[in-house]
């Protein structure tokens, strides 16, 4: 609306206040300043830009300048300046309120979207306002760094600028949730999430990014988001050091833990005897972890643990003796490896299972 003339209704009282202030030489009263601020708010709410309203106020002051200058001389200019400043302050106040309200609406939508709240039909209508078509499948990427990030953080803005610059106005939503960066993109645009992961990894100073699988509908966003969060949790518990994790590559772990009691029984029955070892079970569980992570190559596993090969093989022999399962035997190896994964997922032996 910057091209339209600002109506007289948004200058109500302006000339009268200026005339009185210039004629008496007094200061503006608090009520007069607040009245001018209120007019500024009303003009902003009506859609008039600050440049248009300032020009209008200057034009009106110019019309009455002979009278104002005759009363106050050079002080008239200061009075005009103060009046326009109060009006602009009100205009700015209205703009800030509008921004805060928009941010609140956006945050409420994001919370409802990622938590699966609200009526799905209504949620889909609200989603279009923020560039998402929930009739399509979507995938979610979540980036977690060493410290929490918020919407206003420079890191968030840097990632957003990079993604928008690369992909333009695609139907992508970038936000933050619980101190993490979140990117929601159509499920067939994996290049967006891959690029986001690269940018987010850089700004989080060596953080970790997890990408959920694509799922259809509003509920699909929630599902993909939860998959990404679970992938981050698994990476922490299993000490997976990959910077980018894909939920599709980690599906075996939710399967293993779906029956928690069965997994706890496996861990207890298979690894429980290690608790009687000198020094406890932890060093021997770490030995098995290194052995399996290195492809069952004893020399490599020993290097990872800073042990001699002889010391490492002694530990393997000790595990065999205590558990009755030989890590070098293919049949026993599967049971031991599954039990070790279960132990890491359940926090054993630190937490009882």
């Amino acid at each position: 609306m910057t091209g339209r003339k600002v109506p007289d209704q948004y200058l109500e009282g302006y000339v009268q206040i200026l005339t009185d202030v210039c004629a008496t030489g007094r200061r503006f009263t608090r009520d007069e300043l607040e009245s001018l601020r209120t007019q500024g708010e009303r003009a902003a709410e009506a859609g008039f830009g600050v440049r248009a309203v300032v020009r209008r106020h200057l034009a009106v002051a110019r019309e009455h300048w002979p009278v104002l200058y005759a009363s106050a001389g050079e002080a008239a200019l200061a009075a005009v300046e103060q009046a326009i400043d109060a009006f602009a302050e009100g205009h700015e106040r209205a703009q800030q309120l509008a921004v805060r309200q928009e941010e609140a609406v956006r945050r409420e939508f994001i919370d409802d979207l990622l938590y699966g709240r609200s009526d799905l039909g209504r949620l889909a209508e609200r989603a279009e306002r923020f560039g998402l078509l929930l009739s399509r499948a979507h995938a979610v990427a979540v980036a977690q760094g060493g410290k929490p990030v918020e919407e206003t953080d420079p890191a968030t803005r840097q990632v957003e600028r990079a993604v928008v610059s690369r992909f333009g106005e695609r139907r992508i939503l970038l936000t933050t949730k619980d101190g993490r960066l979140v990117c929601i993109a159509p499920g067939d645009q994996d290049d967006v999430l891959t690029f986001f992961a690269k940018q987010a990894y850089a700004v989080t100073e060596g953080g970790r990014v997890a990408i959920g699988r694509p799922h259809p509908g509003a509920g699909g966003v929630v599902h993909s988001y939860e998959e990404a969060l679970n992938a981050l949790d698994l990476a922490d518990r299993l000490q997976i050091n990959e910077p980018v994790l894909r939920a599709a590559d980690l599906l075996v772990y939710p399967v293993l833990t779906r029956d928690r009691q069965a997994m706890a029984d496996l861990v207890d029955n298979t690894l429980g005897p290690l608790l009687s070892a000198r020094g406890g079970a932890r060093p021997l569980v770490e030995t098995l972890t290194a052995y399996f992570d290195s492809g069952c190559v004893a020399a490599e596993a020993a290097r990872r643990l800073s042990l001699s090969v002889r010391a490492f093989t002694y530990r393997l022999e000790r595990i065999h003796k205590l558990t009755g399962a030989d890590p070098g035997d293919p049949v026993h190896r599967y049971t031991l490896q599954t039990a070790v994964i279960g132990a890491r997922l359940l926090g054993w032996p630190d937490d009882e299972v």
Side-chain angles (χ1 to χ4, degrees):
M1 291 190 180
T2 55
R4 294 198 295 116
K5 180 181 178 181
V6 179
D8 290 339
Q9 68 188 80
Y10 299 112
L11 288 85
E12 184 178 343
Y14 171 59
V15 174
Q16 181 179 348
I17 293 172
L18 276 182
T19 302
D20 192 44
V21 167
C22 290
T24 62
R26 65 175 177 81
R27 295 177 178 274
F28 285 83
T29 68
R30 181 177 299 177
D31 288 343
E32 287 171 340
L33 290 174
E34 187 56 35
S35 173
L36 292 168
R37 294 188 189 103
T38 300
Q39 295 297 343
E41 289 181 347
R42 290 178 54 212
E45 291 167 356
F48 292 101
V50 68
R51 292 175 61 186
V53 297
V54 167
R55 283 198 303 268
R56 184 79 170 92
H57 278 69
L58 289 174
V60 170
R62 189 180 302 112
E63 292 174 11
H64 295 81
W65 186 249
V67 175
L68 300 176
Y69 187 80
S71 301
E74 295 296 334
L77 183 60
V80 172
E81 181 182 2
Q82 190 172 2
I84 292 178
D85 183 69
F87 190 92
E89 182 183 347
H91 191 284
E92 182 179 312
R93 190 164 65 187
Q95 295 284 52
Q96 291 174 343
L97 177 61
V99 169
R100 286 196 296 270
Q101 290 174 336
E102 179 66 19
E103 289 175 347
V105 169
R106 186 174 187 269
R107 176 50 56 187
E108 181 182 14
F109 164 72
I110 289 169
D111 288 346
D112 290 345
L113 180 66
L114 296 182
Y115 286 144
R117 299 190 300 230
S118 183
D119 173 75
L120 293 183
R122 175 65 181 143
L123 191 64
E125 293 177 5
R126 294 159 62 198
E128 291 190 32
R129 176 179 177 181
F130 298 101
L132 298 182
L133 290 177
L134 296 186
S135 57
R136 303 177 61 178
H138 286 82
V140 181
V142 180
Q144 179 173 281
K147 59 182 180 180
V149 293
E150 303 298 337
E151 290 275 2
T152 56
D153 287 353
T156 305
R157 299 305 182 198
Q158 182 177 336
V159 173
E160 185 173 25
R161 284 195 300 269
V163 172
V164 172
S165 175
R166 175 70 176 271
F167 299 102
E169 297 300 321
R170 293 196 193 182
R171 293 187 176 275
I172 305 167
L173 179 62
L174 279 84
T175 185
T176 60
K177 183 64 182 170
D178 297 331
R180 305 181 183 96
L181 281 168
V182 178
C183 180
I184 304 170
D188 59 355
Q189 295 182 15
D190 186 68
D191 56 332
V192 173
L193 297 180
T194 300
F195 183 79
F196 165 81
K198 180 179 179 181
Q199 298 299 315
Y201 176 74
V203 301
T204 53
E205 299 177 357
R208 185 179 285 132
V209 185
I211 302 175
R213 293 178 297 162
H215 296 282
V221 174
V222 180
H223 194 173
S224 185
Y225 175 64
E226 290 178 345
E227 284 185 341
L229 291 181
N230 289 336
L232 291 173
D233 180 58
L234 280 171
D236 286 337
R237 286 191 282 167
L238 295 176
Q239 298 178 344
I240 299 174
N241 296 321
E242 294 296 323
V244 180
L245 307 164
R246 292 185 175 273
D249 298 332
L250 302 174
L251 291 177
V252 66
Y253 298 109
V255 171
L256 291 175
T257 56
R258 190 159 295 162
D259 189 336
R260 183 183 177 88
Q261 187 55 53
M263 178 57 75
D265 290 342
L266 174 65
V267 171
D268 185 57
N269 291 332
T270 304
L271 303 179
L274 300 181
L275 293 170
S276 62
R278 180 182 299 177
R282 173 176 288 279
L284 298 181
V285 172
E286 291 175 350
T287 298
L288 287 172
T289 299
Y291 184 61
F292 295 133
D293 287 350
S294 62
C296 299
V297 178
E300 172 60 21
R303 187 191 64 79
R304 295 187 182 192
L305 295 178
S306 300
L307 295 172
S308 67
V309 174
R310 181 177 180 181
F312 185 83
T313 54
Y314 172 78
R315 285 191 180 186
L316 291 182
E317 292 169 1
R318 186 66 176 154
I319 291 169
H320 185 189
K321 183 176 180 180
L322 289 171
T323 65
D326 181 5
D329 182 278
V331 176
H332 293 173
R333 183 186 305 158
Y334 177 77
T335 301
L336 282 170
Q337 187 167 10
T338 304
V340 166
I341 292 172
R344 294 163 74 181
L345 291 172
L346 299 175
W348 190 91
D350 295 331
D351 299 328
E352 295 185 6
V353 297

